Amino acid sequence: EIKDYRVFLERLNNAIARQQENLNSAGARFAASKRVWIEKQQRAKVIDSVVSRYQQVERREQLRREQHEGDEHAVRLLCRQDT
């Protein structure tokens, strides 16, 4: 009976050790995945920033073009009125 109890305890300890190994392995995989996710999030943030700056430049250039076209149109109208 004591022998059976010792065998039971040994099996129980082995099962606990295996589960601890599984837990440690899962923790390591989680940490690695989290690092990859953080790196990808940082990269996405950089890309978003670059896109935002590009869009701002495009908007400014569009406004300049529209202003220039409006100025040219106004000059043409003034020239027609003078003649």
Side-chain angles (χ1 to χ4, degrees), residues 27-73:
R29 286 192 311 274
F30 172 77
S33 295
K34 184 177 178 181
R35 282 191 301 274
V36 168
W37 181 81
I38 288 171
E39 290 170 4
K40 290 184 185 266
Q41 287 294 91
Q42 289 170 339
R43 179 167 167 73
K45 191 174 182 180
V46 168
I47 290 171
D48 286 345
S49 176
V50 169
V51 168
S52 178
R53 276 187 267 139
Y54 176 77
Q55 289 172 338
Q56 288 174 354
V57 168
E58 284 295 310
R59 277 193 296 267
R60 277 189 296 246
E61 289 178 3
Q62 180 65 29
L63 288 173
R64 284 185 196 131
R65 283 191 296 271
E66 290 172 0
Q67 180 68 44
H68 182 69
E69 290 170 3
D71 292 347
E72 284 183 350
H73 182 68

Side-chain angles (χ1 to χ4, degrees), residues 1-10:
E1 188 172 298
I2 291 179
K3 183 179 178 183
D4 290 341
Y5 182 69
R6 285 186 183 156
V7 169
F8 169 75
L9 288 179
E10 184 178 335

